Amino acid sequence: MKLDLLNNKWIDIVFEGRNKSYGAYELRKKNTSTNVRAFIIGAIIFSLAIAAPVIIDMLPSGTDDDQALNDKITSIKLPPKEEKPKENLPPPPPPPPKQDVVKFVKPVVAKTNEVTEEPPKVEELKETKIGKENIDGDPNAGLSLEPPGDGPKGPAVVEEDNTIYNSAGIEVKPEFPGGMAKFYKFIENNYNVPSDSPGGKVFIQFVVEKDGSLTDIKILRDIGYGTGKEAERVLRKSPRWTPAEQNGKKVRCSYQLPITLSAPQEE
């Protein structure tokens, strides 16, 4: 029996009893149509490659058309441009008459025999201008004077900074003379603890002004028995502090601190 490879019957023989839903069966079944399509496409590409030189020679060249187009183009002279009549404009004003100008000579301390140019006299400067060189003006021209200006302006008014800064973020904090140890010593020497006070901490707040004085004294928390009022009284007797500074300038600054009080001992 002669086997015909172009006939698809042999595929059924090969795949007899096998799973025909497998992809290999479909590929072999379409093998004949795939080969025919590939042969046709290859033949077309081969034919185009062989016929390409002949097709190129048959295409017309644009050299003759360009030359014919150039022959048709001729130079055309445009008509002369019409000039619009000038309007009757008024004549320009005459230039101002020249005025006498006296060269300004910078005064230099020198010896008599070294002086090369004499400075102008005061009488010559009364009715002349000052320039880089001497210029003879029109003797019939009048003297023109420019209106006076506003003159230099005075210094700008600097507004005073009255902002109250917080001591936590200030560049230079305010300080009691001699330091905080001296401050608490001052409190200890001047504070009169009430006899019925149980002891504890009194929290106070105040503002150190630019001159170092204490203002806006507030008692944030006290323990009663007049301890807050006594702390306020002592702070008003405090000497001047060293004020705070921000950007190199003295500023107002708020300050908070606790005062620890001990209960009075019984005798």
Side-chain angles (χ1 to χ4, degrees):
M1 179 180 179
K2 186 177 180 181
L3 180 63
D4 187 3
L5 296 178
L6 298 178
N7 194 345
N8 291 335
K9 293 182 178 180
W10 67 272
I11 299 176
D12 296 331
I13 298 174
V14 173
F15 283 88
E16 184 177 0
R18 297 184 181 182
N19 185 11
K20 294 183 179 182
S21 61
Y22 185 61
Y25 177 78
E26 293 296 331
L27 289 176
R28 284 171 174 77
K29 193 173 182 180
K30 296 179 180 179
N31 188 32
T32 302
S33 60
T34 302
N35 292 337
V36 173
R37 190 182 299 109
F39 176 77
I40 295 173
I41 294 174
I44 293 173
I45 295 175
F46 180 76
S47 301
L48 291 176
I50 296 299
V54 179
I55 295 174
I56 294 174
D57 293 339
M58 294 175 63
L59 294 175
S61 62
T63 307
D64 297 338
D65 295 338
D66 294 341
Q67 184 64 34
L69 181 62
N70 292 334
D71 295 340
K72 293 180 180 180
I73 297 176
T74 58
S75 59
I76 301 174
K77 293 184 179 181
L78 298 175
K81 186 177 181 181
E82 298 180 358
E83 295 184 359
K84 296 182 179 180
K86 295 183 179 180
E87 299 178 358
N88 295 329
L89 299 177
K98 294 184 178 180
Q99 297 181 358
D100 294 340
V101 178
V102 177
K103 180 181 178 181
F104 174 76
V105 180
K106 185 178 181 180
V108 180
V109 179
K111 297 180 181 179
T112 305
N113 56 357
E114 295 179 357
V115 177
T116 58
E117 192 172 5
E118 290 289 339
K121 297 180 181 180
V122 178
E123 290 78 8
E124 298 178 356
L125 299 177
K126 289 182 179 180
E127 298 181 356
T128 58
K129 293 183 178 181
I130 299 177
K132 296 183 179 180
E133 58 183 4
N134 294 329
I135 300 175
D136 294 334
D138 188 355
N140 298 324
L143 180 62
S144 61
L145 297 177
E146 297 180 356
D150 297 335
K153 297 181 179 179
V157 178
V158 179
E159 296 183 359
E160 186 177 1
D161 185 8
N162 290 322
T163 304
I164 299 177
Y165 293 83
N166 194 305
S167 60
I170 200 72
E171 292 180 356
V172 180
K173 295 183 179 181
E175 187 178 6
F176 185 83
M180 293 306 296
K182 293 283 186 180
F183 173 75
Y184 284 112
K185 190 68 176 178
F186 166 78
I187 295 294
E188 182 181 354
N189 295 335
N190 293 273
Y191 193 94
N192 298 322
V193 181
S195 58
D196 54 352
S197 171
K201 288 186 178 181
V202 177
F203 290 87
I204 57 177
Q205 175 181 304
F206 52 88
V207 175
V208 182
E209 299 291 340
K210 298 178 183 179
D211 58 355
S213 61
L214 304 185
T215 61
D216 198 16
I217 301 173
K218 296 180 181 179
I219 306 301
L220 301 180
R221 191 181 71 184
D222 62 0
I223 55 178
Y225 304 96
T227 54
K229 291 183 178 181
E230 179 63 15
E232 183 178 352
R233 182 192 68 81
V234 175
L235 285 178
R236 295 191 184 280
K237 293 177 57 178
S238 171
R240 294 181 183 271
W241 289 43
T242 302
E245 291 186 8
Q246 185 75 9
N247 298 326
K249 296 182 179 180
K250 296 179 180 180
V251 294
R252 305 173 69 194
C253 180
S254 64
Y255 207 95
Q256 297 181 7
L257 52 84
I259 298 177
T260 303
L261 303 177
S262 300
Q265 298 179 357
E266 296 180 359
E267 297 180 356

